[in-house]
Amino acid sequence: QFHLVQSGAEVKKPGASVKVSCKASGYTFTDHYIHWVRQAPGQGLEWMGWINPNGGFDYAQKFQGRVSMTRDTSITTAYMELSRLTSDDTALYFCARGAERLLLVGNWFDAWGQGTLVTVTS
Amino acid sequence: DIQMTQSPSSLSASMGDRVTLTCRASLNIRTSLNWYQQKPGKPPKLLIFAASSLQSGVPSRFSGSGSGTDFSLTIGGLQPDDFGTYYCQQTYSTPTFGQGTRLEIK
């Protein structure tokens, strides 16, 4: 069975950056996109972007210029870094696996990390 | 971005009831529509993909239908574990989620 395990909770000051990791196991890391989704307290799900472990990425327009998604294939880990944090970035951040091999349109997310709580407070 | 609108926003139903949740897309998304269940503090769980395909391990009381702009998720015979918030998601273009339907078991 495949798993995504994320790094632990973070507390950051406004203006700082945060980097969240997502360790994949149980499948061929380079066969599936990793997506990042966040959820503010009491709110719905918001897609942030994807990274292709073979190279390439795309970000939601809202986060362009402020988010960076990277990966280290040697340790099957994806990363999401968000900069210039404000209190509005306080949220639970999830990584998720695109189910179908290297597919974007029409795909679905069949595995999720446990979530990483990022709290932005002065 | 394609907007996804779910209704109702909340629903209270009894064990054994059959309930239907709906999701409408602002553009034709063919069958690029997925449904997730989420419980507080947990990641979403995939229920239905490609509008009507049941994810492995999901009980058969869950079913999905629709294409184009109008979709539905039906739960036949509510069980206590079915409480939570249900989200639809389109992946026809840049992924977007509906705002969710909170299901409460009476």
Side-chain angles (χ1 to χ4, degrees):
Chain A
Q1 186 58 282
F2 37 86
H3 296 284
L4 300 175
V5 178
Q6 298 181 224
S7 48
E10 303 264 12
V11 179
K12 295 292 183 180
K13 293 191 182 301
S17 298
V18 67
K19 190 171 185 177
V20 179
S21 67
C22 173
K23 165 73 175 176
S25 62
Y27 71 95
T28 301
F29 181 65
T30 49
D31 276 356
H32 298 264
Y33 287 77
I34 292 288
H35 297 256
W36 290 89
V37 175
R38 78 176 186 180
Q39 186 171 39
Q43 303 301 308
L45 302 168
E46 181 176 34
W47 180 80
M48 300 179 69
W50 58 255
I51 182 165
N52 178 345
N54 295 300
F57 51 81
D58 189 27
Y59 307 143
Q61 189 167 10
K62 173 178 180 177
F63 300 102
Q64 287 184 9
R66 207 161 68 90
V67 71
S68 175
M69 295 178 188
T70 57
R71 88 287 187 217
D72 185 338
T73 56
S74 68
I75 56 172
T76 65
T77 298
Y79 302 92
M80 186 283 301
E81 184 170 20
L82 190 62
S83 62
R84 302 195 302 276
L85 294 169
T86 73
S87 58
D88 289 342
D89 295 314
T90 293
L92 194 54
Y93 288 77
F94 296 102
C95 59
R97 189 187 91 143
E100 288 292 284
R101 183 176 178 275
L102 296 178
L103 178 70
L104 281 174
V105 175
N107 211 337
W108 51 95
F109 302 171
D110 66 347
W112 295 68
Q114 80 277 19
T116 296
L117 180 62
V118 175
T119 303
V120 183
T121 178
S122 55
Chain B
D1 288 358
I2 296 176
Q3 305 303 315
M4 307 301 293
T5 304
Q6 293 185 239
S7 61
S9 56
S10 65
L11 176 62
S12 181
S14 300
M15 278 182 18
D17 282 355
R18 177 185 176 91
V19 299
T20 297
L21 284 56
T22 65
C23 177
R24 174 164 288 176
S26 60
L27 295 174
N28 184 343
I29 59 169
R30 299 178 185 259
T31 57
S32 299
L33 190 285
N34 310 310
W35 289 95
Y36 301 86
Q37 177 198 60
Q38 187 183 32
K39 301 198 176 181
K42 299 295 186 182
K45 173 188 174 183
L46 177 68
L47 301 174
I48 300 287
F49 63 92
S52 60
S53 295
L54 187 68
Q55 171 68 353
S56 174
V58 174
S60 59
R61 63 180 180 273
F62 291 91
S63 63
S65 65
S67 67
T69 60
D70 293 311
F71 302 87
S72 63
L73 172 71
T74 298
I75 311 172
L78 272 178
Q79 298 298 307
D81 191 49
D82 296 338
F83 81 92
T85 302
Y86 291 79
Y87 292 96
C88 63
Q89 175 205 37
Q90 67 79 22
T91 54
Y92 185 74
S93 69
T94 300
T96 49
F97 293 89
Q99 81 280 16
T101 292
R102 179 173 293 183
L103 176 60
E104 173 192 275
I105 310 298
K106 284 181 184 175

